[in-house]
Amino acid sequence: MFRRVSRWAAGLPLAVALTAGLTGCGSSDQATPAASSSSGAATALTVFAAASLTETFTELGKTFEAAHPGTSVKFNFSSSATLAQQITQGAPADVFAAASPATMKTVTDASLATAPTTFVRNKLQIAVPADNPAKVNALKDLADPKVKVALCAEQVPCGSAAVKALNAAGLKVTPVTYEQDVKATLTKVELGEVDAALVYTTDVLTAGDKVKGLAFPEADKAINDYPIAALSKTPVPDLAKQFVDLVLSAQGRDVLTKAGFQAP
Amino acid sequence: MAFLVLPLAGLLIRAPWPTLAQRLAEPQVLEALRLSLVTATVATLVCLLLGVPLAWLLARVTFPGRRLVRALITVPLVLPPVVGGVALLLVLGRRGLIGQWLEATFGISLPFTTAGVVLAEAFVAMPFLVISVEGALHATDLRLEEAAATLGASRWVIFRRVTLPLVAPGIVAGAVLCWARALGEFGATITFAGNFPGRTQTMPLAVYLALETEPEAAIVLSILLLAVSVIILASLRDRWVTSP
Amino acid sequence: MSLHAHLVVARPPFHLDIDLTVAAGQVVALLGPNGAGKTTALRALAGLTGLSDGHITLDDGPLHTLAAERRPIGMVFQDYLLFPHLSALDNVAFGLRCHGASRSDARRRASAWLERVGLAEHARARPRQLSGGQAQRVALARALAVEPRLLLLDEPLAALDARTRLDIRAQLRRHLADFDGATVLVTHDPLEAMVLADRLIVIENGAVVQQGTPTEVARRPRTDYVARLVGLNLHRGIAADRQVKVEEVLFNVAEHLSGPAFVAFSPAAVALYRTRPDGSPRNLWQGRIQGIERHGDNVRVHLDGPITASADITPAALADLDLTPGQQIWAAVKATETHAYPA
């Protein structure tokens, strides 16, 4: 089912870009009423969050709803770059949690958010199938041409992190594929189609028993910061801020570190 | 009509015309385009080779389970292409049902190869051909085949000299649809064959990844893909419509 | 060359079971109403419909064991079924190519055939550019070009308009006369059958009800269907001496007969009277007018009563007699104009 997200996302940016390009409208089509935020009336909070946050944010969303009766939290999980695109094209979002500062910068550059805060960091691991058929033990093993490797495409955060880590190690790795997002990369490992991949620690954890994660020292050179910000055009600024606060709170951090994220 | 044309107009309006030529000249772009055209064409040939006999079987031979087969053929139409890609991996992947045996026996591994791209495209595009050809077969007068039989034509001669020419417009229409679908294929391709420039990165994959960082580049690539396919389809159509 | 066939096709509730013999050079017409099984019989001869039972022998060799494409036959279909993607010439050459002729040889012979049917200048035309009559002749040339030993014609003139039909029928007759194999013609048009065939086989409900030369069949119909086709009143009765009793009507006839017999007479031989005519009570009965309609230059009056019959009278007679439907009327037939034969 996780596959559907990426497929859907593939069509969305173009569609959004096109409608925005033709009508030139902003985010006025949002259903959120402009009424006061935390007052218990039925309001919705829309959070655009990086795909790697799917499990943790869904949990935090439930916590938030419990603490704010009458508020429903809606998520749009996708690749950070796609989400940033959607936000700059006028998609109705109240909070943006990105998997890289670069994608957040797209949004702040467009003056749609100010002062993002880094709430977690994510480190790369080498993911191998549970039986580790190519006997991969260290990052240098990925340079062996007999080892089939999947990397994220450089255009997405996990891809640029992988490049950084490999450069830091002075390794040249030719993968068999540059996947479009981290989940797709991980799927290739889960199915045993590749012998190894570089993905985030959190993703290795969600994959369960089918994938084994190997930490490697060069990962420290390619740590990914996750910034979060309430968006300036939100009709519910108080709610948005409260959600950001929840993520930054000890409770939020607890949920996130349990999933493999590191505190900043 | 406007519904079909407006998105295209949107692309054209947003295109970064000044830098267009420079962007198109990038070797990666041309490589992706070449790969797209080659794989879509080969996938169409594969579909013709497998799809025409299959359509004939469905239209002309009564066999148990025909309805089921007909329903199964539409599966790739209904299935989200990425799921189709996963399904292909489960069958033809390194650890797949058949893939395992292929690799052990012949050392053939299909995922992450250009052949894998062709396979994924053919899988997704095949229904367009089969449905179109089967429809054309149903529309032809069976008695023309009988007339040919009374003139001494064997089943093969009838198929080649009567049936095939009669359904040729249907085959061409099906092949064009099939080709267009293969050209635009994204989900099954990236899932089954991955994304590697020059080997498995077709235009739609390049467009998708460009969207992540450079939407303008994505628009350029989309326009290029559109332009090339429109030119090819338009020239084909003219040729087939004007010939008697 | 001759054809012997016993055709049984069982497709419940339909059942066809007929015997058929056609000598070389002979044309046999299968005549019958729609749904009688004529076309099924023809398709069985061609091998397009399988036999449930029976056999087909052509020139002492079995035919029913061969697939359609291996039978030495030529067939002309009701709507011709010319190949729309081939020119007239290539349509005719098609069968020749299937029989192993080289492309140039097939074309040469096909073009000779087109010339024989008077279509040399249309050789390059596609079927849809041909008129109905031209298409029919191309279909005939296509069937004859393979030099079949058995020619099968399925309602060959049915799709033509009346004027073309006359012309094409005459031409078809000439080509059939030249053809030395056996010919089976299926038609529901008695005139077509009479003009083209040497012998008629009348089929009703999948069985042969009558066969003979066109003259025999026309003179001595044996079913109501045939009688209607040939335009005669037909009644079945019991003969004794020179009389046939049909219901309570007694017919004087010229023939010596006894037992079940048919009496046939033309509607023109029936005279109508408002009051009972004097003289012999024979060949005379009272009936009720069921309907009146124009029939050529005359008027046809349909009668029921003890027996049903049609009478043709002049419009003048109709005016004189002042006939209206429902009216009771006397009808009489001259003995010399009846024809009786054993049933």
Side-chain angles (χ1 to χ4, degrees):
Chain A
M1 283 306 101
F2 53 86
R3 316 289 335 187
R4 280 183 51 201
V5 175
S6 56
R7 177 65 182 139
W8 181 76
L12 190 63
L14 198 58
V16 171
L18 291 167
T19 34
L22 287 171
T23 60
C25 71
S27 62
S28 57
D29 53 342
Q30 191 184 16
T32 318
S36 113
S37 48
S38 53
S39 70
T43 44
L45 181 74
T46 307
V47 176
F48 278 30
S52 48
L53 297 168
T54 305
E55 292 81 10
T56 50
F57 267 44
T58 305
E59 191 183 333
L60 287 172
K62 291 206 182 94
T63 311
F64 190 80
E65 281 173 357
H68 298 80
T71 302
S72 70
V73 182
K74 292 184 178 134
F75 289 104
N76 177 11
F77 294 113
S78 187
S79 98
S80 301
T82 304
L83 294 173
Q85 277 300 319
Q86 293 173 2
I87 291 168
T88 54
Q89 296 290 352
D94 303 311
V95 175
F96 180 37
S100 73
T103 44
M104 179 58 87
K105 191 167 177 295
T106 318
V107 175
T108 49
D109 283 355
S111 306
L112 293 166
T114 46
T117 318
T118 299
F119 64 103
V120 281
R121 324 176 78 179
N122 209 350
K123 242 197 324 194
L124 289 179
Q125 277 195 339
I126 302 169
V128 295
D131 57 350
N132 196 0
K135 308 269 178 298
V136 173
N137 290 311
L139 193 61
K140 67 170 167 44
D141 294 340
L142 304 194
D144 183 340
K146 284 201 285 290
V147 177
K148 281 191 177 180
V149 179
L151 295 180
C152 294
E154 230 182 300
Q155 290 92 334
V156 295
C158 65
S160 53
V163 171
K164 256 189 250 167
L166 289 169
N167 284 344
L171 287 172
K172 183 161 167 41
V173 171
T174 307
V176 291
T177 175
Y178 293 104
E179 291 294 312
Q180 81 270 32
D181 58 46
V182 65
K183 298 279 180 195
T185 310
L186 195 64
T187 306
K188 296 291 194 292
V189 181
E190 284 180 52
L191 291 172
E193 291 302 332
V194 295
D195 302 314
L198 290 182
V199 297
Y200 292 121
T201 314
T202 52
D203 296 306
V204 175
L205 278 179
T206 47
D209 299 341
K210 280 183 275 179
V211 177
K212 215 164 63 177
L214 309 169
F216 59 99
E218 293 86 350
D220 291 338
K221 302 276 171 41
I223 283 176
N224 220 19
D225 289 341
Y226 280 53
I228 188 167
L231 295 171
S232 40
K233 281 193 177 169
T234 172
V236 286
D238 295 348
L239 266 186
K241 179 159 184 319
Q242 282 159 17
F243 186 82
V244 173
D245 290 344
L246 171 67
V247 173
L248 294 170
S249 70
Q251 192 188 2
R253 184 152 302 166
D254 199 38
V255 170
L256 288 157
T257 47
K258 230 185 281 167
F261 286 105
Q262 296 183 320
Chain B
M1 194 63 199
F3 181 62
L4 294 175
V5 171
L6 280 179
L8 182 63
L11 276 182
L12 292 176
I13 290 164
R14 279 308 189 87
W17 295 107
T19 57
L20 194 70
Q22 180 203 333
R23 283 178 189 279
L24 289 182
E26 283 173 31
Q28 278 227 356
V29 170
L30 294 177
E31 209 166 43
L33 180 65
R34 189 191 60 85
L35 189 69
S36 273
L37 293 176
V38 169
T39 52
T41 306
V42 176
T44 304
L45 292 177
V46 169
C47 286
L48 281 170
L49 224 57
L50 300 175
V52 173
L54 182 60
W56 183 84
L57 213 64
L58 284 173
R60 291 284 190 271
V61 183
T62 326
F63 56 89
R66 184 165 65 160
R67 278 164 161 242
L68 186 70
V69 171
R70 196 174 281 143
L72 285 178
I73 279 170
T74 57
V75 162
L77 281 182
V78 183
L79 214 59
V82 268
V83 179
V86 171
L88 284 175
L89 278 178
L90 293 177
V91 175
L92 294 166
R94 236 183 1 161
R95 296 189 177 179
L97 298 171
I98 298 171
Q100 220 167 2
W101 171 80
L102 273 180
E103 179 147 29
T105 319
F106 303 105
I108 297 173
S109 173
L110 288 169
F112 312 121
T113 61
T114 306
V117 176
V118 170
L119 199 74
E121 289 179 347
F123 173 76
V124 173
M126 178 84 99
F128 291 90
L129 186 89
V130 175
I131 290 169
S132 166
V133 174
E134 198 198 337
L137 280 168
H138 280 302
T140 59
D141 194 340
L142 263 179
R143 299 176 313 144
L144 283 169
E145 297 180 6
E146 292 183 344
T150 66
L151 291 167
S154 64
R155 230 172 184 195
W156 169 240
V157 171
I158 293 173
F159 179 72
R160 201 168 48 83
R161 293 206 50 209
V162 179
T163 316
L164 219 48
L166 286 176
V167 298
I171 293 180
V172 171
V176 165
L177 275 177
C178 182
W179 185 81
R181 179 69 188 86
L183 195 67
E185 217 304 301
F186 171 79
T189 309
I190 198 161
T191 309
F192 181 66
N195 169 51
F196 192 87
R199 192 175 339 126
T200 64
Q201 187 181 71
T202 56
M203 284 297 273
L205 272 55
V207 169
Y208 179 81
L209 285 168
L211 262 180
E212 295 286 319
T213 46
E214 286 183 282
E216 288 200 335
I219 292 177
V220 169
L221 294 178
S222 307
I223 288 176
L224 178 61
L225 186 61
L226 272 170
V228 170
S229 48
V230 165
I231 288 167
I232 291 176
L233 292 181
S235 60
L236 266 183
R237 233 195 131 82
D238 275 358
R239 221 167 113 195
W240 281 95
V241 171
T242 48
S243 75
Chain C
M1 290 202 272
S2 66
L3 172 79
H4 299 279
H6 177 210
L7 307 175
V8 180
V9 178
R11 234 183 291 137
F14 177 75
H15 188 86
L16 175 79
D17 187 343
I18 62 170
D19 279 301
L20 192 67
T21 299
V22 188
Q26 199 182 35
V27 179
V28 166
L30 299 182
L31 188 65
N34 284 332
K38 312 178 298 269
T39 296
T40 304
L42 206 65
R43 288 175 57 86
L45 288 172
L48 300 175
T49 294
L51 284 184
S52 310
D53 198 3
H55 63 86
I56 306 168
T57 315
L58 185 65
D59 304 342
D60 303 324
L63 201 65
H64 56 280
T65 52
L66 301 177
E69 70 263 23
R70 312 200 53 116
R71 299 188 184 190
I73 55 169
M75 186 156 176
V76 176
F77 296 84
Q78 181 169 355
D79 40 5
Y80 322 131
L81 298 178
L82 297 179
F83 304 123
H85 58 291
L86 297 179
S87 66
L89 183 71
D90 286 334
N91 262 282
V92 179
F94 185 94
L96 294 165
R97 294 277 289 145
C98 291
H99 284 79
S102 72
R103 184 182 296 260
S104 59
D105 185 36
R107 289 208 158 171
R108 194 177 45 72
R109 281 157 67 187
S111 111
W113 267 104
L114 281 180
E115 204 167 319
R116 265 180 86 169
V117 297
L119 288 173
E121 71 274 29
H122 292 91
R124 298 169 62 89
R126 293 289 167 109
R128 64 162 178 269
Q129 298 166 315
L130 298 173
S131 71
Q134 291 167 339
Q136 201 280 344
R137 284 181 284 163
V138 173
L140 182 67
R142 183 175 74 171
L144 286 171
V146 297
E147 292 171 9
R149 289 185 289 144
L150 172 61
L151 181 63
L152 305 169
L153 308 170
D154 188 3
E155 307 269 9
L157 307 174
L160 299 174
D161 62 73
R163 282 227 340 244
T164 318
R165 187 178 304 170
L166 220 62
D167 182 32
I168 299 292
R169 191 170 67 200
Q171 295 187 30
L172 179 58
R173 201 178 161 194
R174 259 198 341 267
H175 290 296
L176 290 181
D178 290 346
F179 178 61
D180 57 1
T183 303
V184 179
L185 162 78
V186 156
T187 180
H188 67 274
D189 177 358
L191 191 59
E192 196 174 305
M194 308 263 172
V195 171
L196 295 174
D198 303 311
R199 216 153 53 76
L200 304 188
I201 297 181
V202 183
I203 303 179
E204 284 179 53
N205 296 320
V208 175
V209 293
Q210 185 170 4
Q211 51 184 311
T213 62
T215 323
E216 279 165 10
V217 172
R219 269 180 60 79
R220 299 186 157 196
R222 300 186 70 85
T223 71
D224 287 342
Y225 165 74
V226 183
R228 242 188 344 269
L229 281 184
V230 300
L232 291 180
N233 288 305
L234 178 69
H235 295 289
R236 195 188 164 102
I238 304 295
D241 201 12
R242 284 173 188 262
Q243 290 185 342
V244 180
K245 191 169 187 223
V246 181
E247 304 297 330
E248 62 258 35
V249 183
L250 212 53
F251 286 94
N252 273 354
V253 294
E255 294 84 356
H256 271 288
L257 293 168
S258 66
F262 284 114
V263 181
F265 51 91
S266 157
V270 181
L272 299 180
Y273 306 93
R274 283 188 75 95
T275 52
R276 186 189 165 103
D278 297 334
S280 151
R282 308 261 157 74
N283 303 2
L284 178 71
W285 71 96
Q286 194 178 28
R288 201 173 60 91
I289 297 175
Q290 206 193 13
I292 301 171
E293 62 181 3
R294 276 202 77 85
H295 184 76
D297 287 339
N298 288 327
V299 177
R300 177 158 290 184
V301 180
H302 297 281
L303 304 171
D304 59 12
I307 60 174
T308 60
S310 301
D312 285 355
I313 58 172
T314 62
L318 179 74
D320 280 351
L321 289 165
D322 188 23
L323 300 179
T324 53
Q327 195 179 340
Q328 292 287 327
I329 191 103
W330 289 93
V333 190
K334 280 187 208 133
T336 50
E337 298 196 26
T338 62
H339 181 54
Y341 44 93

